[in-house]
PDB file of all heavy atoms in Angstrom:
ATOM      1  N   ASP A 330     -11.406 -65.975 141.247  1.00 98.00           N
ATOM      2  CA  ASP A 330     -10.526 -65.879 142.333  1.00 98.00           C
ATOM      3  C   ASP A 330      -9.088 -65.873 141.795  1.00 98.00           C
ATOM      4  O   ASP A 330      -8.557 -66.889 141.479  1.00 98.00           O
ATOM      5  CB  ASP A 330     -10.804 -66.832 143.390  1.00 98.00           C
ATOM      6  CG  ASP A 330      -9.678 -66.946 144.432  1.00 98.00           C
ATOM      7  OD1 ASP A 330      -9.259 -65.802 144.877  1.00 98.00           O
ATOM      8  OD2 ASP A 330      -9.325 -67.932 144.868  1.00 98.00           O
ATOM      9  N   VAL A 351     -14.530 -69.635 139.478  1.00 98.00           N
ATOM     10  CA  VAL A 351     -13.220 -70.541 139.124  1.00 98.00           C
ATOM     11  C   VAL A 351     -12.076 -69.704 139.767  1.00 98.00           C
ATOM     12  O   VAL A 351     -12.093 -68.415 139.956  1.00 98.00           O
ATOM     13  CB  VAL A 351     -12.972 -70.352 137.582  1.00 98.00           C
ATOM     14  CG1 VAL A 351     -11.654 -70.832 137.178  1.00 98.00           C
ATOM     15  CG2 VAL A 351     -14.109 -71.137 136.856  1.00 98.00           C
ATOM     16  N   THR A 352     -11.200 -70.477 140.383  1.00 98.00           N
ATOM     17  CA  THR A 352      -9.985 -69.957 140.924  1.00 98.00           C
ATOM     18  C   THR A 352      -8.792 -70.494 140.011  1.00 98.00           C
ATOM     19  O   THR A 352      -8.776 -71.538 139.504  1.00 98.00           O
ATOM     20  CB  THR A 352      -9.774 -70.399 142.468  1.00 98.00           C
ATOM     21  OG1 THR A 352      -8.618 -69.781 142.953  1.00 98.00           O
ATOM     22  CG2 THR A 352      -9.574 -71.985 142.527  1.00 98.00           C
ATOM     23  N   ILE A 353      -7.741 -69.548 140.068  1.00 98.00           N
ATOM     24  CA  ILE A 353      -6.568 -69.965 139.437  1.00 98.00           C
ATOM     25  C   ILE A 353      -5.445 -69.953 140.600  1.00 98.00           C
ATOM     26  O   ILE A 353      -4.246 -70.331 140.301  1.00 98.00           O
ATOM     27  CB  ILE A 353      -5.962 -68.958 138.404  1.00 98.00           C
ATOM     28  CG1 ILE A 353      -5.823 -67.481 138.936  1.00 98.00           C
ATOM     29  CG2 ILE A 353      -6.964 -68.948 137.247  1.00 98.00           C
ATOM     30  CD1 ILE A 353      -5.093 -66.652 137.962  1.00 98.00           C
ATOM     31  N   ALA A 354      -5.829 -69.675 141.899  1.00 97.00           N
ATOM     32  CA  ALA A 354      -4.782 -69.542 142.852  1.00 97.00           C
ATOM     33  C   ALA A 354      -5.038 -70.326 144.194  1.00 97.00           C
ATOM     34  O   ALA A 354      -4.168 -70.331 145.066  1.00 97.00           O
ATOM     35  CB  ALA A 354      -4.647 -68.137 143.283  1.00 97.00           C
ATOM     36  N   ASP A 355      -6.214 -70.941 144.334  1.00 97.00           N
ATOM     37  CA  ASP A 355      -6.560 -71.652 145.562  1.00 97.00           C
ATOM     38  C   ASP A 355      -6.451 -73.287 145.436  1.00 97.00           C
ATOM     39  O   ASP A 355      -7.243 -73.720 144.926  1.00 97.00           O
ATOM     40  CB  ASP A 355      -7.841 -71.244 146.141  1.00 97.00           C
ATOM     41  CG  ASP A 355      -8.131 -71.568 147.620  1.00 97.00           C
ATOM     42  OD1 ASP A 355      -7.669 -72.688 147.981  1.00 97.00           O
ATOM     43  OD2 ASP A 355      -8.776 -70.826 148.317  1.00 97.00           O
ATOM     44  N   ALA A 358      -9.387 -75.544 146.467  1.00 98.00           N
ATOM     45  CA  ALA A 358     -10.563 -75.266 145.806  1.00 98.00           C
ATOM     46  C   ALA A 358     -11.620 -76.496 145.668  1.00 98.00           C
ATOM     47  O   ALA A 358     -12.832 -76.305 145.909  1.00 98.00           O
ATOM     48  CB  ALA A 358     -10.416 -74.882 144.420  1.00 98.00           C
ATOM     49  N   VAL A 363     -15.233 -75.995 143.782  1.00 98.00           N
ATOM     50  CA  VAL A 363     -14.884 -74.948 142.849  1.00 98.00           C
ATOM     51  C   VAL A 363     -13.648 -75.477 141.936  1.00 98.00           C
ATOM     52  O   VAL A 363     -12.856 -76.201 142.432  1.00 98.00           O
ATOM     53  CB  VAL A 363     -14.342 -73.692 143.546  1.00 98.00           C
ATOM     54  CG1 VAL A 363     -13.628 -72.678 142.588  1.00 98.00           C
ATOM     55  CG2 VAL A 363     -15.433 -73.039 144.245  1.00 98.00           C
ATOM     56  N   HIS A 364     -13.790 -75.089 140.662  1.00 98.00           N
ATOM     57  CA  HIS A 364     -12.749 -75.607 139.675  1.00 98.00           C
ATOM     58  C   HIS A 364     -11.489 -74.748 139.801  1.00 98.00           C
ATOM     59  O   HIS A 364     -11.544 -73.491 139.917  1.00 98.00           O
ATOM     60  CB  HIS A 364     -13.314 -75.464 138.223  1.00 98.00           C
ATOM     61  CG  HIS A 364     -12.263 -75.871 137.227  1.00 98.00           C
ATOM     62  ND1 HIS A 364     -11.882 -77.217 137.048  1.00 98.00           N
ATOM     63  CD2 HIS A 364     -11.647 -75.182 136.267  1.00 98.00           C
ATOM     64  CE1 HIS A 364     -10.882 -77.209 136.102  1.00 98.00           C
ATOM     65  NE2 HIS A 364     -10.873 -75.984 135.588  1.00 98.00           N
ATOM     66  N   LEU A 365     -10.266 -75.476 139.924  1.00 97.00           N
ATOM     67  CA  LEU A 365      -8.921 -74.850 139.941  1.00 97.00           C
ATOM     68  C   LEU A 365      -8.447 -74.917 138.634  1.00 97.00           C
ATOM     69  O   LEU A 365      -8.126 -76.010 138.047  1.00 97.00           O
ATOM     70  CB  LEU A 365      -8.066 -75.544 140.958  1.00 97.00           C
ATOM     71  CG  LEU A 365      -6.589 -75.189 140.856  1.00 97.00           C
ATOM     72  CD1 LEU A 365      -6.262 -73.779 141.152  1.00 97.00           C
ATOM     73  CD2 LEU A 365      -5.781 -76.084 141.874  1.00 97.00           C
ATOM     74  N   SER A 366      -8.282 -73.738 137.868  1.00 97.00           N
ATOM     75  CA  SER A 366      -7.884 -73.836 136.467  1.00 97.00           C
ATOM     76  C   SER A 366      -6.434 -73.591 136.431  1.00 97.00           C
ATOM     77  O   SER A 366      -5.888 -72.603 136.920  1.00 97.00           O
ATOM     78  CB  SER A 366      -8.670 -72.689 135.661  1.00 97.00           C
ATOM     79  OG  SER A 366      -8.129 -72.701 134.285  1.00 97.00           O
TER      80      SER A 366
END
Side-chain angles (χ1 to χ4, degrees):
D330 171 32
V351 170
T352 182
I353 61 170
D355 194 322
V363 170
H364 180 67
L365 168 61
S366 178

